[in-house]
Amino acid sequence: MGSEPIATIARIEMLRREAEVALDAAKGDAALTAWKGEWLGKGGRITSLLRSVGALDAADRPAFGAAVNAASRTLEAAYEAAASSRQADAMASALAAEAIDVTLPGTPPPRGRLHPSTIILRRMLDIFAEMGFQVFLSREVELDDVNFTLLNHPPHHPARDMQDTFYIAGTNEQVLLRTHTSPGQIRAMGAYAPDPIRIVLPGMVYRNEKITPRSEIQFTQVEGLAVGPHITMANLRGTIDGFVHRYYGPNRRTRFRTSYFPFTEPSAEVDVSCGLCDGAGCRLCKDAGWLEILGCGMVHPNVLANGGYDPAVVSGFAFGLGPMRAQMMAHGIDDIRHYWGNDVRFLEQFG
Ligand SMILES: [Zn+2]
């Protein structure tokens, strides 16, 4: 009698069931590997059964061997199934953890848009283009002569005090940032004289002022200029009315008030009837019933001469308006500092 218990078919069955229970309990890769070593490895508990075959009768050996091999194959198959199910689980949980729901709304890349001052400028230029005015772009850095003197502001003219000026350092106050778009009139006349002109001059102007809700150191202007034979104040009025009806609406009325500008004679300021109260008076127009929108006049003969025209032969009109002011009025913008504040919450409301 050997010291080992006699291995029988029944014992093989018992061991196989024990192995199956252990396999069920083996969770995770490490446990599966350990199970395989314990049961099916070289010295594993099933494999080692074969070593006891010598203790059997020769007649029983083939059946015993076949039973061990069958149990071994069954357990091998069970192990493969468990391992691949474990892999599938791992894959499934990884997919769940990294899942992307393609039906969720994405994060759109931020889209740029035109600045409100550009939008309003383009709208006004479109209207003037429709009325036959050509755009003339002039420089922002100007000579003092062109910005003032040739526009009939001689040195020490009190009108120079009306505009605080940014001079370019080191130029002895001869070069400056234009304080209005009017020097473009001199540039345009120089380019076209003695031919007729019908242009608009848009762009940025600069004033050395304290920045407040009502005033900025830079803002846009649109200047209009027409020069030619037989141009009268009636042409000016018709042009302003044409613009007002296109921009503000066909039912808005205009009112000319006499005024003074050095470069026009006679000069006028133009009001448009309030769009909110139609002249009755309200908060928007401060009970006036009218809103001031631009300054204008007949080009001063001195300015025509400075531009290269003969004031005895041609005449002209000019007007200047503030697109940003018009936009502020239309949209109820109460602080001009919003324009250059770079706050996208403001900028996004346009365009
Ligand atoms: Zn009103």
Side-chain angles (χ1 to χ4, degrees), residues 157-188:
H157 189 288
R160 289 193 181 212
D161 297 335
M162 290 161 59
Q163 299 165 349
D164 293 313
T165 308
F166 285 115
Y167 286 96
I168 305 296
T171 64
N172 198 24
E173 301 197 344
Q174 290 309 298
V175 184
L176 46 76
L177 294 179
R178 65 180 177 187
T179 59
H180 48 177
T181 44
S182 307
Q185 292 189 23
I186 298 293
R187 299 284 174 191

Side-chain angles (χ1 to χ4, degrees), residues 119-239:
I119 293 170
I120 190 69
L121 208 54
R122 289 191 181 179
R123 188 168 158 224
M124 287 186 171
L125 295 184
D126 281 348
I127 290 173
F128 285 118
E130 202 179 295
M131 296 169 65
F133 285 79
Q134 183 179 343
V135 172
F136 186 95
L137 293 177
S138 190
R139 62 197 72 186
E140 292 183 18
V141 176
E142 259 302 356
L143 298 174
D144 178 88
D145 263 358
V146 183
N147 192 81
F148 289 123
T149 313
L150 296 177
L151 286 168
N152 212 29
H153 300 57
H156 314 299
H157 189 288
R160 289 193 181 212
D161 297 335
M162 290 161 59
Q163 299 165 349
D164 293 313
T165 308
F166 285 115
Y167 286 96
I168 305 296
T171 64
N172 198 24
E173 301 197 344
Q174 290 309 298
V175 184
L176 46 76
L177 294 179
R178 65 180 177 187
T179 59
H180 48 177
T181 44
S182 307
Q185 292 189 23
I186 298 293
R187 299 284 174 191
M189 287 192 272
Y192 289 113
D195 296 332
I197 292 181
R198 199 190 296 171
I199 55 167
V200 277
L201 304 138
M204 197 73 80
V205 302
Y206 304 86
R207 304 273 174 90
N208 191 359
E209 285 180 6
K210 193 171 184 312
I211 297 175
T212 71
R214 304 293 299 162
S215 70
E216 251 292 358
I217 58 170
Q218 63 177 92
F219 50 95
T220 54
Q221 279 190 342
V222 173
E223 184 110 0
L225 174 68
V227 177
H230 314 303
I231 290 183
T232 68
M233 196 115 184
N235 298 129
L236 170 61
R237 174 131 208 182
T239 300

Side-chain angles (χ1 to χ4, degrees), residues 274 277 281-282 285:
C274 176
C277 63
C282 71
C285 58

Side-chain angles (χ1 to χ4, degrees), residues 20 100 232 249 256 333:
E20 283 171 349
I100 294 171
T232 68
F256 280 54
I333 301 167

